Amino acid sequence: MNHSQEWAPQAIQAEVDALKHKPGALLPILHALQDRIGFIPEAAVPIIADALHQTRAEVHGVISFYHHFRTTPPGRHVVQICRAEACQSVGARQLEAHAKARLGVDYHQTTADREITLEAVYCLGNCACGPSIRVDDSVRGRVTPEAFDELIDELQTRPLEVMG
Amino acid sequence: MSVRVYVPRDTTALSLGADTIASRLEREATARGQPITLVRNGSRGLSWLEPLVEVDTPIGRFAYGPVAPGDVTALLDSGLLEGSVSHPLAQGPTEEIDYLARQQRLTFARIGITDPLSIEDYRAHNGFCGLEAALQREPQDIVEEVKASGLRGRGGAAFPTGIKWQTVLDTPADQKYIVCNADEGDSGTFADRLVMECDPYMLIEGMAIAGLAVGATQGYIYLRSEYPLAKEILDEAIRRAEQAGYLGDDLRDSGRAFHLEVRLGAGAYICGEETSLLESLEGKRGLVRFKPPLPAIEGLFGRPTVVNNVLSLAAVPFILAEGAEAYASHGMGRSRGTLALQLAGNVRRGGLVELAFGTTLRTLMEAFGGGTASGRTLRAVQVGGPLCAYLPESQWDMPLDYETFAEVGAGVGHGGVVMFDDSVDMAEQARFSMEFCKVESCGKCTPCRIGSTRGVEVIDRIRANDNREANLALLSDLCETMVDGSLCAMGGMTPFPVQSALKHFSEDFQRTANGDRS
Ligand SMILES: Cc1cc2nc3c(=O)[nH]c(=O)nc-3n(C[C@H](O)[C@H](O)[C@H](O)COP(=O)(O)O)c2cc1C
Ligand code: SF4
Ligand code: FES
């Protein structure tokens, strides 16, 4: 993921203005902001509230309801581990424990070097080839603890985009 | 002429290295002076063979799988480009692979064969015939056809699709909507994803037909945010369908309009529940609504709305093209047509298995699945998602049909079949059911919100042998309270997997969490 951590209120305003006329515009707006910035900055809330004629509390309420939206910057990569049943049956619990130990973080936390944010996810639709994880926008299947370590090594040394 | 080679581009194939395989094949074949025409097709749904590479030969397509990037050189050496079957990964003619040949593919007839985004491919394989037929017919006529097919909602509740459409058709309004539920949150399910990634025009066609049937001109696909690839493919398919006149203001010069847009969810399982989904589409928190009013009468933005699962809508083009009888002639009892089963979890041959209703789980798990992936004894299977029961071996011989399953307190749900071997700890699974409900509850009612939190605590105490018998009794009471007092099936059905674990696997509640019996 290549998020610019720099954002200006004008840029937020432009994203909001481009989408505010859609029926039910709030989720599309939040997605657009998070895709661009990596999270929903606090400064966006009053801008969105104004544009949609809602209260700030309403906008906050929506942001906090959905697991996907975050209000603090993530690491350079977001790694999600599938915790759901089909992956459990092939070792997801062991993978989860291994990942936390390897990265030294729990879910919703970011490694000290700000490379990786670890998240839980409940099914990635890859249930016949688990355990599954998602790294930014790509899903990996049959992830053993060893494969996980290799992946993390690669993430920490070069950008995911050039990986084979 | 260069040989056509197919390397799938669905999430599962990609998750196992399909992109690397595709680029290596192209590069190495060129280096050998035999440049190939690479097609990125959809998946055949044979997940256990993914990435499944196919090669066109004069006598049909030949398959190789599961291919790892490191196999490419040896496969080319062995004569892959000529369809040779000498390599151990060679599966012979694709259509003759037993797993595929034994299926009854009505909805999934095209997946994996075509390039998902090619409208020409889609048309060449009977695509848009259903829509062309619907454009010649009156709305009531279309609804009658769907009713006669016996199609019931594939999202879980199994409500007759034609009857739902009738209600929307009969409710006058200035605007009506078709909403496709593509939230596919159940663990063990991926059939919706396969439709969207591998045959997106089928869903577009089904939605356009629904629009014609009930008089809706706007459709939304509510897609879970966990499926970024499906989003990309759908967006592009919609753009191309608009260009070709299958969507937009004037469908195929008929003067009738249908517009379609994909909207992303945001990681909330409850937004698969139809009223929570509508709230979310309106830009709100996904709190479940009280029913009535039904969404068919007051749905999205208060207007009459058809909410249907991806597979329900995807079944419609076949029904309109081939006629209701062609669909209804499959199945048993009141479960007509085919069911898209998804074999998942600890299974040797996982994947999509489309069959008429009436097969048994045992056939599915053994003849198709080949038993567990670990090679250990199969012990429990969860059918129908996280809100449905775990079934012990004594229940593996029932025919898969809505009524038969309901009679024993089980569910078919969205067709997910998650297998567990004998290393599973069913008390731990029961705990997870409660934990999942705690994480995903919308919070509107107490039995669900507080009950699930208590459920986790009580199971922890049982597993720690802290006042075990009293806590087992408490857990039973808690389950009953949740079943009776919850507003929707999230809180109301979370107890089902827990109760089934207690009933059929009670021994697992008699030992401590680290595995010692006490
Ligand atoms: C907690 C919960 C989650 C649900 N998740 C989904 C889902 O992911 N996809 C789906 O199609 N239906 C889901 N449903 C069922 C829907 O509420 C609804 O019945 C369905 O979308 C109707 O479409 P159908 O008649 O075509 O099945 C869920 C229901 C509940 C209670
Ligand atoms: S049962 Fe749970 S998810 Fe359903 S309405 Fe009540 S709190 Fe919300
Ligand atoms: S349960 Fe992990 S991908 Fe579906």
Side-chain angles (χ1 to χ4, degrees):
Chain A
M1 270 184 214
N2 259 334
H3 301 123
S4 143
Q5 306 266 318
E6 289 160 32
W7 46 269
Q10 302 90 295
I12 294 175
Q13 188 74 55
E15 293 279 357
V16 173
D17 287 344
L19 293 167
K20 68 180 180 190
H21 303 292
K22 279 183 180 287
L26 184 48
L27 263 69
I29 288 174
L30 294 175
H31 274 296
L33 292 177
Q34 183 155 311
D35 284 352
R36 176 160 175 159
I37 302 167
F39 68 107
I40 315 285
E42 183 57 34
V45 175
I47 299 175
I48 299 169
D50 257 12
L52 300 183
H53 309 294
Q54 293 185 355
T55 65
R56 293 177 191 199
E58 281 169 330
V59 176
H60 269 295
V62 171
I63 295 172
S64 63
F65 182 85
Y66 295 97
H67 303 304
H68 176 82
F69 297 126
R70 61 176 83 249
T71 51
T72 53
R76 206 156 64 86
H77 298 289
V78 176
V79 173
Q80 295 180 308
I81 301 197
C82 176
R83 294 195 70 219
E85 289 90 339
C87 286
Q88 290 166 8
S89 76
V90 286
R93 286 193 181 92
Q94 290 84 324
L95 178 65
E96 167 179 65
H98 174 85
K100 288 180 181 177
R102 160 76 206 247
L103 296 172
V105 296
D106 206 336
Y107 286 130
H108 317 306
Q109 295 181 347
T110 301
T111 51
D113 59 6
R114 305 226 34 93
E115 282 292 307
I116 290 161
T117 298
L118 190 67
E119 296 286 353
V121 67
Y122 297 91
C123 192
L124 292 163
N126 198 37
C127 326
C129 301
S132 304
I133 68 172
R134 175 173 165 187
V135 183
D136 302 330
D137 268 354
S138 80
V139 174
R140 308 293 169 110
R142 298 206 185 101
V143 181
T144 57
E146 299 71 48
F148 183 84
D149 286 348
E150 270 171 42
L151 176 76
I152 297 300
D153 287 344
E154 286 176 78
L155 288 181
Q156 288 175 333
T157 51
R158 55 192 175 131
L160 184 67
E161 285 77 1
V162 301
M163 263 185 47
Chain B
M1 225 187 66
S2 68
V3 177
R4 280 167 92 82
V5 178
Y6 300 81
V7 181
R9 58 166 301 193
D10 90 304
T11 292
T12 292
L14 295 181
S15 84
L16 299 168
D19 275 348
T20 311
I21 292 163
S23 55
R24 283 200 193 169
L25 272 168
E26 256 188 328
R27 203 176 50 231
E28 291 200 25
T30 306
R32 290 164 192 241
Q34 288 180 290
I36 57 171
T37 303
L38 181 69
V39 180
R40 299 307 299 268
N41 58 333
S43 168
R44 298 269 192 168
L46 277 50
S47 313
W48 55 290
L49 286 177
E50 293 293 0
L52 181 80
V53 174
E54 288 179 83
V55 177
D56 246 349
T57 78
I59 51 165
R61 280 157 70 160
F62 276 59
Y64 302 82
V67 176
D71 296 323
V72 168
T73 306
L75 279 167
L76 287 170
D77 288 345
S78 79
L80 170 129
L81 296 181
E82 292 81 48
S84 151
V85 292
S86 64
H87 194 278
L89 294 179
Q91 303 291 333
T94 315
E95 306 284 343
E96 290 171 24
I97 297 174
D98 204 38
Y99 196 94
L100 192 57
R102 293 174 60 177
Q103 299 195 27
Q104 289 150 302
R105 289 207 167 168
L106 307 185
T107 299
F108 289 90
R110 254 178 318 258
I111 64 157
I113 296 174
T114 55
D115 166 354
L117 284 171
S118 162
I119 287 197
E120 297 70 48
D121 273 11
Y122 186 67
R123 275 209 215 98
H125 291 84
N126 304 322
F128 291 122
C129 294
L131 180 60
E132 301 287 359
L135 282 166
Q136 308 302 319
R137 301 175 65 169
E138 292 302 312
Q140 184 63 53
D141 230 29
I142 303 174
V143 173
E144 292 304 335
E145 197 74 48
V146 174
K147 278 190 202 163
S149 75
L151 176 66
R152 291 163 72 183
R154 299 288 189 250
F159 187 82
T161 304
I163 295 178
K164 186 182 284 186
W165 289 20
Q166 185 73 59
T167 307
V168 178
L169 172 61
D170 291 343
T171 308
D174 57 345
Q175 175 72 58
K176 300 179 185 180
Y177 296 102
I178 308 296
V179 170
C180 170
N181 188 340
D183 203 48
E184 194 159 66
D186 292 358
S187 167
T189 64
F190 43 86
D192 293 351
R193 177 180 65 70
L194 287 174
V195 167
M196 296 184 284
E197 291 179 353
C198 306
D199 205 9
Y201 296 116
M202 174 168 56
L203 178 59
I204 293 172
E205 183 180 356
M207 291 185 74
I209 295 170
L212 294 174
V214 304
T217 54
Q218 177 67 48
Y220 291 101
I221 299 172
Y222 185 88
L223 175 68
R224 66 199 303 252
S225 57
E226 290 84 349
Y227 286 179
L229 182 62
K231 166 90 162 78
E232 185 190 314
I233 292 177
L234 283 170
D235 279 343
E236 177 62 16
I238 288 171
R239 200 185 61 77
R240 294 190 192 186
E242 281 167 353
Q243 273 176 355
Y246 292 107
L247 285 174
D249 283 322
D250 184 13
L251 301 186
R252 306 300 286 167
D253 304 322
S254 66
R256 321 227 359 227
F258 190 70
H259 300 272
L260 188 53
E261 189 183 328
V262 181
R263 287 290 178 91
L264 278 187
Y269 177 77
I270 193 58
C271 288
E273 193 283 335
E274 58 184 4
T275 64
S276 164
L277 183 157
L278 294 174
E279 290 287 298
S280 184
L281 263 181
E282 291 181 7
K284 303 176 197 155
R285 291 181 296 157
L287 296 186
V288 171
R289 295 178 183 171
F290 290 100
K291 280 193 265 191
L294 290 174
I297 293 171
E298 274 180 48
L300 186 62
F301 304 115
R303 303 303 204 295
T305 303
V306 168
V307 183
N308 270 140
N309 173 252
V310 173
L311 297 181
S312 315
L313 291 161
V316 167
F318 176 91
I319 292 166
L320 266 290
E322 307 292 326
E325 185 48 33
Y327 195 75
S329 65
H330 298 268
M332 68 174 275
R334 288 173 47 222
S335 304
R336 309 312 316 173
T338 55
L339 179 60
L341 292 149
Q342 299 128 83
L343 273 177
N346 198 329
V347 56
R348 200 150 73 87
R349 295 192 295 259
L352 176 93
V353 180
E354 183 179 356
L355 287 173
F357 283 92
T359 349
T360 67
L361 275 178
R362 198 184 294 277
T363 304
L364 197 65
M365 298 192 294
E366 290 173 2
F368 284 91
T372 62
S374 60
R376 298 176 62 127
T377 307
L378 184 63
R379 179 157 184 246
V381 50
Q382 188 175 32
V383 183
L387 306 179
C388 287
Y390 283 97
L391 310 180
E393 184 170 6
S394 60
Q395 296 181 330
W396 297 348
D397 295 304
M398 307 183 288
L400 269 155
D401 139 87
Y402 293 124
E403 276 65 43
T404 311
F405 266 55
E407 264 168 42
V408 299
V412 173
H414 186 50
V417 176
V418 179
M419 294 162 54
F420 291 81
D421 72 14
D422 59 1
S423 65
V424 67
D425 175 348
M426 294 303 295
E428 191 173 32
Q429 296 310 119
R431 183 191 191 278
F432 177 77
S433 298
M434 287 291 187
E435 185 192 3
F436 184 65
C437 183
K438 178 179 142 183
V439 175
E440 300 295 341
S441 165
C442 85
K444 190 157 176 163
C445 52
T446 321
C448 170
R449 190 184 66 240
I450 308 291
S452 53
T453 306
R454 288 284 165 278
V456 173
E457 294 164 2
V458 172
I459 296 174
D460 280 343
R461 275 188 234 119
I462 293 168
R463 296 180 75 212
N465 196 17
D466 169 358
N467 235 335
R468 179 172 284 151
E469 291 313 310
N471 278 307
L472 279 167
L474 190 59
L475 180 58
S476 291
D477 286 350
L478 189 65
C479 284
E480 277 170 36
T481 307
M482 289 175 72
V483 171
D484 295 340
S486 298
L487 177 59
C488 84
M490 180 82 218
M493 288 175 63
T494 286
F496 293 173
V498 178
Q499 289 168 323
S500 65
L502 282 166
K503 182 170 173 195
H504 301 294
F505 305 94
S506 60
E507 63 276 21
D508 288 18
F509 293 81
Q510 296 298 329
R511 57 185 179 203
T512 45
N514 64 16
D516 301 331
R517 274 174 206 276
S518 52

